Amino acid sequence: MDGNGRWAERHGKSRIEGHRRGVENVRKIVDAARELGIPYITLFAFSVENWQRPKTEVSALMTLLNTYLKKELQSLVKNDVRLNVLGRVEELPAKVRETLSQTIDKTKSHKSHVLSLALNYGARTELVDAVKTYAAQITSGRVDPGKLDWKTLSKYLYTRDIPDPDLIIRTSGEHRLSNFLLLQGAYAEIYFSPLCWPEFHPLHFIEAINDFQQRERRYGQTGEQLKTAKKSLQRT
Ligand code: FPP
């Protein structure tokens, strides 16, 4: 959800006002995703690099996040949404950690949808954390490194409870992934929107999904192989 700052600048508003509008849009897009029957949505809300921003901005982001979580609880409960977090949560401010753990706890039995927030997240730190945990298990003799495969390694990532993303949307006209779900997104379709996050309307979200639905996902196979497999599935 990139471009809150640029949106604010273009509208003569403060960066923090841009983030406020960004949060309003989070509500709209999360609701749209739910109404469209999308079971998993993940938002890149705060990266490991975002701590480098001015202290006032970081603190405003944490306050916005805390308020969002508190206000959203009722809707998460009503709509059977489970809250999930990806990232080094232990480094977030105590107040945010507390709200997160309460929200996670109160929504843990929900099954229809999962809303994941990437907070203090970076794909490289995620890999480092996974390798550290795995290495500790080798040292204690609990795992055999000779048997390591992707399925096993993926269980050490923050995303162990959710499937890989099918579609990654980046707003604001930037054409890069910026350390977001690099391993999980290996086969994801990527959609770049020139719009800044606060102006990325649910109708633009639907456009992105329509675009995704036109794509052919080959996973290393040829288009011909996929057609043959599809035909044989249609016969069964
Ligand atoms: C991107 O815009 C946005 C962020 C880095 C922060 C988004 C997070 C929040 C608004 C906190 C609350 C989160 C949720 C999920 C409710 P940018 O500042 O990078 O924009 P710019 O590149 O135009 O400066």
Side-chain angles (χ1 to χ4, degrees), residues 63-234:
T63 306
L64 282 170
L65 173 66
N66 204 43
T67 314
Y68 168 83
L69 290 168
K70 289 196 164 178
K71 279 199 186 158
E72 226 44 29
L73 178 63
Q74 223 183 341
S75 160
L76 298 178
V77 170
K78 182 173 146 229
N79 295 302
D80 201 35
V81 183
R82 175 167 75 83
L83 182 78
N84 182 42
V85 190
L86 322 176
R88 286 188 177 165
V89 180
E90 64 283 5
E91 291 170 6
L92 293 169
K95 211 164 125 188
V96 174
R97 283 200 321 264
E98 199 183 308
T99 313
L100 278 170
S101 78
Q102 283 170 358
T103 316
I104 290 171
D105 192 54
K106 287 181 179 145
T107 63
K108 65 180 181 219
S109 63
H110 298 170
K111 299 268 185 285
S112 304
H113 304 269
V114 178
L115 167 63
S116 298
L117 299 182
L119 292 168
N120 196 17
Y121 175 85
R124 289 180 176 178
T125 38
E126 176 178 34
L127 185 59
V128 168
D129 288 350
V131 171
K132 275 187 187 161
T133 312
Y134 187 72
Q137 298 208 338
I138 301 176
T139 312
S140 64
R142 271 177 287 166
V143 296
D144 172 2
K147 292 202 174 121
L148 183 63
D149 56 12
W150 169 245
K151 195 169 169 231
T152 309
L153 186 58
S154 66
K155 293 290 165 213
Y156 289 82
L157 299 175
Y158 306 138
T159 48
R160 63 186 74 86
D161 293 333
I162 57 172
D164 288 345
D166 289 312
L167 171 64
I168 296 179
I169 301 174
R170 180 169 189 159
T171 55
S172 91
E174 303 294 358
H175 293 155
R176 51 177 183 270
L177 288 175
S178 299
N179 208 10
F180 181 61
L181 298 181
L182 296 183
L183 290 168
Q184 300 86 338
Y187 294 99
E189 295 297 324
I190 306 179
Y191 182 89
F192 296 107
S193 166
L195 300 169
C196 287
W197 175 251
E199 61 197 1
F200 186 75
H201 189 271
L203 289 175
H204 301 122
F205 182 52
I206 292 177
E207 258 174 49
I209 292 164
N210 282 339
D211 184 276
F212 164 78
Q213 287 173 331
Q214 306 308 315
R215 304 200 192 175
E216 185 181 66
R217 307 183 78 194
R218 291 194 292 273
Y219 299 99
Q221 294 192 305
T222 66
E224 207 47 48
Q225 283 176 306
L226 286 181
K227 264 184 225 150
T228 314
K230 198 171 164 191
K231 268 187 205 151
S232 96
L233 281 172
Q234 279 164 345

